């Protein structure tokens, strides 16, 4: 079936199977390989994109479900605050989880520019980073959010 | 990557969904309803679900309804867990749903999808059990509104070709004190060892549990025992433990004896909070 | 300008935050074929038959490869593993057939239609079970396998390799001991769980070149071993590696590449792509080794250790791969950073029906450290001494002799005493146990570690520097960029040597064995040491050439010249100078005559005087230097359900010299996070049939944002004189002491001695109630 999406601000269309996942269509039909398969089970968040402004795991979404939606992949961000912050704070190493993390943080910063600690934690726990300690990512998130960054709370269980 | 092919339908009305189902069923296509589709996608990938056609319900306005009237609150089955949480319409439901999976996944997982999950947890049903909610169900014989106690017994007992449209909850429940506590094995994102939800109704505190047995439940006998206010909490919990509908679950998340311990401790905290 | 030590952001940063960084599976080509595996559901079974008739008729299917298509046995230390299982499967997830089809969906559909008949065999669940006299023998032909010099198998048993360390006089050691303690630790296999699953793409070109693209840490080893396994000249094998999405040792195993080669061969050399699913990455491809260890320590009443008897039974899994070498590395450093004169270690690598292990960050050292440190805690308890004091008293110093008989110096050892002293201050050791309320307890546990990065004695590295017309320089090395930022650090070294801005050093990230100088393997935290030596040598080579040309132009002798700021100048009078850009492609005189040519700096390094371990005595020189450090973990435990929170993680490490501060902190913190994650929650669960019950990231849970403790990392700097700028290895070390420190903290808080991993709250609760997990 032929479907259309708005991807990174451009109208795009492709012939797909209804069984195709958004993740695979982005990668295979549009070459947007910044969306990474990490588990294909909704557990790791490496494939996170934005769909109509919300972070979505593109491995948990049929491409047909997203038809007509406004999709933003990492390739659609240019010099976004989250991208700059991740570089400055050394918030990645291997870089594989990074597009998913950045899109989640970008969406968070748009939805909750003054997000509190609980909201940040809830959103950021959707992604797994296996290289960093998460402290670097925390620094990056708070530098983007611009809210007064709490002191590092040693009791944050 | 899903290894088999299926057709995708997205009806925009209840009637259309029902008729599409009937047509596909008649063609032997074994259609399945979905709304969040997360469980279908993950199960289909590993061959645990297969279908020739799927019917996506999230285009049906009634399934997406969110209303808080003076007497009743209406929660469409295709509302996502994030939407329910963010709306603050009913914090007990929002909080309990917010314990499921992770935030990004909850942008996709729906209330109806979780309640009809093939997994044993279905935590979103707990608040609906506590509030004696009504379920609006659609099928070939039309739309019916049924008390949840008549439909939910360990799992949602829907007729062939039926799907969930809405849950209706009395608005008075919104202001009652409640607790919703999920205890996990070790990690922040995991299935529950136990989830304890409780609601302080005027007649007594109501309780519903997930993870304790291989299905979520609310039990009159357990509730009666836990409300024996003349007895100390430990004694009441001991009585309740003897009335569980099934022996406590033992699996990789927790052995039965540790699970019981966590349940007792969590319940003690909840009782203390809601009875004070 | 000083570049060394600066927190230079990783050179690949813009690519990695924009989706431009390419990983192996990001290669998408229309004509490429796709492969999917058929894997065994049984942990141990005879393959009675593979029926692929129906599958081969399915749409899009181009080939089905089975064990009958190749009798090659693979393995770096011991060739015991068929590329595809032939007559027998020895672990759940082992590959039985590979389907090649036009699309991945078609390959998967056909793989599901391949019918395999199995006859289940009894399953060996643990090293202890494997060593029982009546245990099923997993490799009847063990004695016939081709093996390396360091591997000593015992045919007729499940022992893949035996190593002994025998130093000093044990009888005397026991005689001088007033107290003897025994402690046993056990933990099963776990997983690397890199976010990028393993993948490989192979094609055989019409001219016979075999081109493999792979997410590997070891492209040069892939080239060498594919050549050796299949009898092909290595010049015909080209291995390319783009960015790798996390490795941690897991991508050292040469596993998918031979399969991709057989798959491509089966379809006339067409390009075939193979990408592990997460489940396959966890059960089919290798994970982390398990261990069952007993440490017996003899000590005087004042806490001086006189003798140590150590027994390791490593869970070597179904095939050897690197497990016997991980075991060897553990045995070589078995004492930990403690001076123990009389030492005996027997180290067995034992076959079981678990997934075969690969290297894992730390290479046997978090394992040996858990065994030794838990024993030291027990000794301290028994003596009624402060565990910090016992560690300090016995800590190893320059002049002491390592288990390998190496004489230790400040340069090759570092300074564990300063690390320990600083740790004591940072961890508030004097108040390392407190009650918070009726149920909650806070406690700190400590651990010391050392690690020698032992690799092949002839391992080497090379670097090439090519100048651009603008005077900037391109750096090429064979280091794979797996996330450690090594190539940025190498660029810093080159910039430092040239006295130029690191922004003017361009780095090539992808490795292509056709034209990239070899870096033995991107393992063992050896990137900065070996490739650093090579890069500095290449810089010196280029500087010599630049000075030669400049000397001719400026009419001086080269010895009087210096380089800096992209100029070559007279040391005496810097105003007499010539820009590098005017001479790096040769110099052209006003009359058109030219001299010189493009400057190409080259440098190589090969390890010096490394001696393989004698497997009977433990004598040898495993590597040029040890890294040492001391670590602490503070937790808060709820005594009721034994759940706990990680409060603080503290590491004090002798870095030799910090080359990139934020990069170094990130390596230590990230490694610590990995150590805490696996010590607190990561393990494979096996059922009675040896099947893994948690092969997904949903059930095999990893630490997430906000679950981490606060991290304190401090470096002390005692240079290793052989290393570039004195820098010691750092990539793995933050992990090594974490499991032991966590076990110590939880043990103190719970009031029970814990000797198993992972430490789930239920595990702790069970131990408190007298169950397993205690000693």
């Amino acid at each position: 079936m032929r479907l259309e999406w708005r991807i990174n601000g451009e109208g795009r269309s492709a012939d797909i199977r209804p069984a195709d996942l958004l993740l695979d269509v982005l990668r295979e039909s549009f070459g947007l390989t910044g969306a990474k398969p990490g588990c294909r089970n909704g557990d790791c968040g490496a494939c996170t994109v934005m769909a109509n402004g919300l972070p979505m795991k593109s491995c948990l979404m049929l491409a047909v479900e997203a038809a007509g939606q406004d999709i933003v992949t990492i390739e659609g961000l240019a010099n976004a605050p989250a991208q700059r912050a991740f570089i400055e704070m050394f918030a990645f190493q291997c870089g594989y989880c990074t597009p998913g993390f950045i899109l989640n943080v970008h969406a968070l910063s748009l939805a909750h520019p003054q997000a509190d600690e609980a909201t940040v934690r809830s959103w950021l726990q959707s992604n797994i980073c296996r290289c960093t300690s998460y402290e670097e990512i925390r620094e990056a998130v708070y530098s983007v959010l611009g809210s007064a960054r709490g002191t590092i709370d040693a009791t944050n269980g | 990557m899903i290894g088999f092919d299926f057709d995708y339908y997205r009806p925009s009305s209840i009637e259309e969904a029902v008729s599409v189902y009937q047509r596909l069923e008649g063609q032997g296509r074994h259609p399945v309803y979905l709304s969040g589709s997360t469980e279908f996608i993950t199960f289909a990938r590993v061959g645990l679900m297969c279908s020739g056609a799927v019917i996506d319900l999230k285009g049906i306005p009634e399934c997406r309804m969110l209303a808080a009237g003076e007497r009743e609150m209406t929660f469409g089955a295709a509302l996502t867990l994030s939407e329910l949480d963010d709306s603050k319409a009913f914090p007990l439901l929002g909080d309990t749903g917010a314990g499921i999976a992770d935030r990004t996944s909850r942008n996709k997982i729906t209330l109806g999808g979780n309640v009809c999950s093939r997994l044993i947890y279905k935590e979103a049903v707990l608040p609906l059990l506590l509030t004696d909610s009504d379920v609006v169900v659609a099928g070939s014989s039309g739309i019916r509104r049924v008390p949840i106690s008549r439909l939910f017994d360990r799992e949602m007992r829907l007729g062939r070709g039926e799907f969930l449209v809405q849950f209706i909850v009395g608005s008075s429940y919104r202001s009652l004190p409640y607790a919703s506590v999920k205890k996990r094995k070790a990690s922040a994102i995991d299935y529950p060892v136990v989830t304890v939800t409780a609601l302080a109704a005027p007649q007594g505190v109501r309780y519903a549990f997930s993870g304790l047995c291989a299905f979520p439940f609310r039990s009159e006998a357990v509730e009666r025992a836990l409300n024996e206010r003349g007895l100390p909490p430990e004694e009441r919990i001991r009585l309740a433990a003897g009335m569980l509908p099934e022996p406590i679950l033992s699996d990789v998340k927790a052995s039965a004896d540790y699970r019981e311990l966590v349940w007792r401790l969590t319940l003690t905290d909840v009782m203390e909070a809601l009875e004070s | 300008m000083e570049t060394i030590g600066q927190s230079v952001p990783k050179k690949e940063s813009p690519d990695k935050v924009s989706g431009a960084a390419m990983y192996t599976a990001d290669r998408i080509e229309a004509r490429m074929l796709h492969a999917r595996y058929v894997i065994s559901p049984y942990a141990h079974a005879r393959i009675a038959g593979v029926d692929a008739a129906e599958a081969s008729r399915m749409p899009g299917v181009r080939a089905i490869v089975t064990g009958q298509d190749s009798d090659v046995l693979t393995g770096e230390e011991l060739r015991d593993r068929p590329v595809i299982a032939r007559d027998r499967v020895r672990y759940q997830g082992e590959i039985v057939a590979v389907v090649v089809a036009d699309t991945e969906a078609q390959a998967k559909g056909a793989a599901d239609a391949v019918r395999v008949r199995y006859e289940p065999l009894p399953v060996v669940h643990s090293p202890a079970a494997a060593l029982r006299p009546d245990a099923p023998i997993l490799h009847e032909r063990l004695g016939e396998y081709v093996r390396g010099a360091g591997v000593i198998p015992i045919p007729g048993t499940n022992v893949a390799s035996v190593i002994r360390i025998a130093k000093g006089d044990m009888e005397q050691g026991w005689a001088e001991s007033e107290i003897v303690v025994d402690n046993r630790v056990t933990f099963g296999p776990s997983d690397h769980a890199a976010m990028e699953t393993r993948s490989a793409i192979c094609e055989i070109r019409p001219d016979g070149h075999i081109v493999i693209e792979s997410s590997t840490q070891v492209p040069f080893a892939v080239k060498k071993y594919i050549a050796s396994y299949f009898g092909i000249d290595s010049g015909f094998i080209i291995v390319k590696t783009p960015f790798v999405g996390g490795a941690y040792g897991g991508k050292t195993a040469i596993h998918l590449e031979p399969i991709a080669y057989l798959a491509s061969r089966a379809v006339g050399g067409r390009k075939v792509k193979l990408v592990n699913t997460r489940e396959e990455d966890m059960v089919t491809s290798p994970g982390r080794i398990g261990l069952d260890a007993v440490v017996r320590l003899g000590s005087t009443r004042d806490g001086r250790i006189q003798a140590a008897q150590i027994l390791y039974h490593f869970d070597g899994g179904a095939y050897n791969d690197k497990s016997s070498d991980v075991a060897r590395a553990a045995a070589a450093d078995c004492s930990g950073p403690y001076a123990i004169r009389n030492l005996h270690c027997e180290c067995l690598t034992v076959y079981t029906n678990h997934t075969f292990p690969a290297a894992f960050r730390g290479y046997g050292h978090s394992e040996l450290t858990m065994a030794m440190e838990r024993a030291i805690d027990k000794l301290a308890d028994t003596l009624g001494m402060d565990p910090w004091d016992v560690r300090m008293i016995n800590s190893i110093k320059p002049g002491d002799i390592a288990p390998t008989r190496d004489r230790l110096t400040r340069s090759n050892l570092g300074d564990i005493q300063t690390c320990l002293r600083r740790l004591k201050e940072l961890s508030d050791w004097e108040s390392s146990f407190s009650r918070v309320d009726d149920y909650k307890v806070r406690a700190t546990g400590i651990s010391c570690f050392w690690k020698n990065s032992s690799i092949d004695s002839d391992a080497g590295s090379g670097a090439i520097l090519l100048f651009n017309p603008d005077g900037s320089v391109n750096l090429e090395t064979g280091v794979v960029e797996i996330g450690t930022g090594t190539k940025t650090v190498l660029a810093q070294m080159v910039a430092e040597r040239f006295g130029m801005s690191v922004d003017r050093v361009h780095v090539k990230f992808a490795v292509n064995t056709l034209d990239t100088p070899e870096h033995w393997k991107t393992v063992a935290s050896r990137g900065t040491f070996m490739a650093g030596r090579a890069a500095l040598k290449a810089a010196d080579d280029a500087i010599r050439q630049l000075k030669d040309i400049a000397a001719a132009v400026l009419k001086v002798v080269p010895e009087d010249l210096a380089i800096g700021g992209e100029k070559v100048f007279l040391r005496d009078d810097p105003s007499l100078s010539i820009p590098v850009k005017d001479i790096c492609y040769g110099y052209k005189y006003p009359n058109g005559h030219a001299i010189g040519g493009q400057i190409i700096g080259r440098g190589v390094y090969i390890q010096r005087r490394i001696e393989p371990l004698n497997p009977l005595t433990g004598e040898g020189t495993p590597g040029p230097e040890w890294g040492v450090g001391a670590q602490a973990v503070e937790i808060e435990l709820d005594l009721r359900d034994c759940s706990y929170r990680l409060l603080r993680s503290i590491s004090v490490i002798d870095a030799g010299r910090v080359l990139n501060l934020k990069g170094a902190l990130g390596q230590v913190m990230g490694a610590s996070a990995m150590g805490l994650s696996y010590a607190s929650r990561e393990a494979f669960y096996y059922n009675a049939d040896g099947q893994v019950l948690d092969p997904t990231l949903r059930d095999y849970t990893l630490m997430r944002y906000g679950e981490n403790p606060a991290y304190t990392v401090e470096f002390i700097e005692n240079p290793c004189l052989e290393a570039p700028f004195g820098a010691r290895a750092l990539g793995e070390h933050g992990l090594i002491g974490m499991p032991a420190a966590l076990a110590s903290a939880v043990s103190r808080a719970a009031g029970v001695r814990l000797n198993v991993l992972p430490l789930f709250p239920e595990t702790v609760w069970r131990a408190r109630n007298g169950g397993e997990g205690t000693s």
Side-chain angles (χ1 to χ4, degrees), chain C residues 582-595:
Chain C
D582 291 350
I583 55 174
C584 65
Y585 273 60
Y587 178 76
K588 192 163 137 188
Y589 288 95
N591 66 1
H593 296 180
I595 59 166

Side-chain angles (χ1 to χ4, degrees), chain C residues 354-365:
Chain C
H354 290 153
T355 303
F356 66 95
F360 185 93
R361 204 173 192 174
Y363 210 63
H365 284 72

Side-chain angles (χ1 to χ4, degrees), chain A:
Chain A
M1 64 198 305
R2 188 147 198 99
L3 293 174
E4 292 183 6
W5 305 263
R6 192 162 179 80
I7 300 176
N8 297 331
E10 298 169 354
R12 302 296 299 267
S13 69
D15 266 317
I16 62 148
R17 300 154 65 219
D20 284 337
L21 301 170
L22 178 61
L23 170 64
D24 293 319
V25 171
L26 290 172
R27 289 172 60 84
E28 311 262 338
S29 300
F30 301 118
L32 297 169
T33 53
K36 302 294 186 202
C39 67
R40 294 182 171 277
N41 201 45
D43 300 326
C44 78
C47 68
T48 301
V49 300
M50 285 167 64
N52 287 350
L54 287 176
M56 284 286 177
K57 294 180 175 176
S58 61
C59 77
L60 284 186
M61 191 172 221
L62 300 171
V64 59
E65 284 185 281
Q69 292 194 18
D70 199 344
I71 307 296
V72 177
T73 71
I74 192 70
E75 291 88 349
L77 297 189
N79 206 21
Q83 290 172 301
R84 293 199 303 270
F86 269 63
I87 294 177
E88 283 162 19
M89 301 303 174
F90 282 56
F92 56 86
Q93 291 178 22
C94 82
Y96 199 82
C97 72
T98 312
F101 260 105
I102 287 179
L103 285 162
N104 194 7
V105 172
H106 185 69
L108 173 65
S109 69
L110 296 178
H112 300 282
Q114 303 289 325
D116 60 17
E117 185 82 36
T119 305
V120 171
R121 181 181 302 197
S122 161
W123 282 55
L124 271 289
Q125 284 187 338
S126 303
N127 300 61
I128 296 173
C129 172
R130 188 61 158 165
C131 292
T132 74
S133 72
Y134 293 115
E135 274 302 297
E136 305 89 329
I137 292 175
R138 177 191 165 88
E139 304 255 344
V141 173
Y142 282 95
S143 82
V144 170
L145 288 178
S147 57
R149 184 172 161 274
T151 52
I152 292 173
D153 176 8
T155 61
N156 59 3

Side-chain angles (χ1 to χ4, degrees), chain B residues 93-140:
Chain B
L93 182 59
D95 285 0
T96 305
I100 294 164
D102 59 72
R103 169 74 198 196
T104 304
S105 297
R106 291 194 297 272
N107 290 341
K108 192 93 189 331
I109 298 170
T110 60
L111 175 61
N114 183 263
V115 168
C116 293
S117 164
R118 290 192 183 187
L119 300 172
I120 62 173
Y121 307 107
K122 309 176 184 58
E123 292 145 280
V125 82
L126 302 178
L128 304 169
L129 294 173
L130 289 179
T131 54
D132 291 328
S133 64
D134 281 351
V135 189
V136 177
V137 177
S140 53

